[in-house]
Amino acid sequence: MVVSFNDVTEQIERENQLRRWSTVYRFSGEAIVIADANGVIKDVNESFLRIIRNNRAAWVGRRLDEISLDSRSEGLFASTIWPALEADGNWRGELWLRDAEGGIQATWAAITKVNKTENAAAHFTLILSDLSERSIKDETLRFYAGNDSLTKLPNRLLLSDRFKVALNTSIRQGTTFACMYLDLDRFKPINDRYGHAVGDIVLQVIAQKISGIRI
């Protein structure tokens, strides 16, 4: 009887790494595209399909530079991206895409050339971050920095800023401006008797009426 043993620790670790990478690849919020050494797309994840509004079959087998680009990014692969990948192995910048429905998607792209190793062939990875979603979040943060979250009216910070601008403009131009102060009478008894939830509704209704006033 001959018994032989092989150390498979490294192989098991590689398999575990592949499983971890597969999970990240499938469920990542970033769009990921894998292409071979010739730039032919081999796989895309769900986030890419969501941005491009198309199915996997429509993209696997096509080249990276066949991704539909808006006029702002047209010709970028030939003029900039491929030369950068050849020289440095990576490129980062904005890519404006046209999705399958004709919409324009602003993305931040990172393309990396991965050289051949003992366990993997040479390939390219393209990672796209949806800038449109980020822009919406940034715009929301900017809005709530200067506006009350309950009534959506400008808060003290925004009032102070606008007041200073109006004052400086008035001084510079030698003109005057008006500032109106509005007080809400007998509001505290509403909170005390009906609770803060009802008080919040009252404030929201009043805010809507104020916002509708045209001077």
Side-chain angles (χ1 to χ4, degrees):
M1 179 182 294
V2 177
V3 180
S4 63
F5 297 92
N6 293 316
D7 188 353
V8 296
T9 304
E10 185 176 347
Q11 179 182 342
I12 292 174
E13 179 57 28
R14 282 201 302 269
E15 292 173 353
N16 289 335
Q17 287 178 347
L18 287 173
R19 279 194 291 269
R20 288 193 293 267
W21 162 246
S22 177
T23 301
V24 171
Y25 173 76
R26 287 165 53 205
F27 298 108
S28 172
E30 311 286 69
I32 302 175
V33 179
I34 306 297
D36 65 16
N38 296 316
V40 177
I41 297 174
K42 294 300 181 182
D43 199 10
V44 297
N45 70 350
E46 291 298 324
S47 293
F48 175 79
L49 300 177
R50 175 178 52 80
I51 289 178
I52 213 68
R53 301 182 190 276
N54 212 331
N55 56 59
R56 181 174 280 99
W59 288 98
V60 173
R62 297 171 65 178
R63 287 178 51 84
L64 278 176
D65 48 18
E66 290 179 16
I67 291 177
S68 302
L69 298 180
D70 181 62
S71 57
R72 280 164 284 195
S73 295
E74 193 172 355
L76 199 58
F77 271 93
S79 65
T80 305
I81 297 177
W82 290 128
L85 290 173
E86 186 64 30
D88 305 320
N90 62 81
W91 179 85
R92 287 172 173 79
E94 284 189 1
L95 271 185
W96 290 79
L97 310 181
R98 282 195 175 275
D99 60 36
E101 299 176 1
I104 299 173
Q105 307 292 337
T107 68
W108 179 261
I111 307 178
T112 303
K113 181 180 181 181
V114 182
N115 294 322
K116 181 180 179 180
T117 65
E118 181 181 347
N119 301 310
H123 61 279
F124 292 97
T125 61
L126 165 61
I127 300 177
L128 298 169
S129 301
D130 190 344
L131 291 181
S132 59
E133 291 183 356
R134 186 174 301 174
S135 297
I136 292 172
K137 291 177 182 177
D138 291 344
E139 185 177 343
T140 302
L141 288 173
R142 284 194 297 270
F143 177 83
Y144 283 111
N147 294 78
D148 178 66
S149 59
L150 177 66
T151 65
K152 307 299 186 295
L153 292 176
N155 59 21
R156 292 180 181 180
L157 181 64
L158 186 56
L159 170 63
S160 176
D161 177 72
R162 295 296 184 267
F163 188 89
K164 290 177 182 177
V165 170
L167 180 61
N168 290 334
T169 302
S170 176
I171 294 172
R172 187 171 60 254
Q173 297 179 352
T175 58
T176 60
F177 71 97
C179 179
M180 183 174 66
Y181 177 83
L182 178 65
D183 191 19
L184 187 59
D185 294 331
R186 295 185 296 276
F187 177 68
K188 186 176 183 300
I190 295 176
N191 272 335
D192 293 341
R193 183 172 181 178
Y194 300 105
H196 289 279
V198 173
D200 288 347
I201 294 174
V202 171
L203 288 176
Q204 289 173 328
V205 171
I206 293 174
Q208 290 174 359
K209 292 183 178 297
I210 293 174
S211 301
I213 296 175
R214 293 293 180 264
I215 299 176

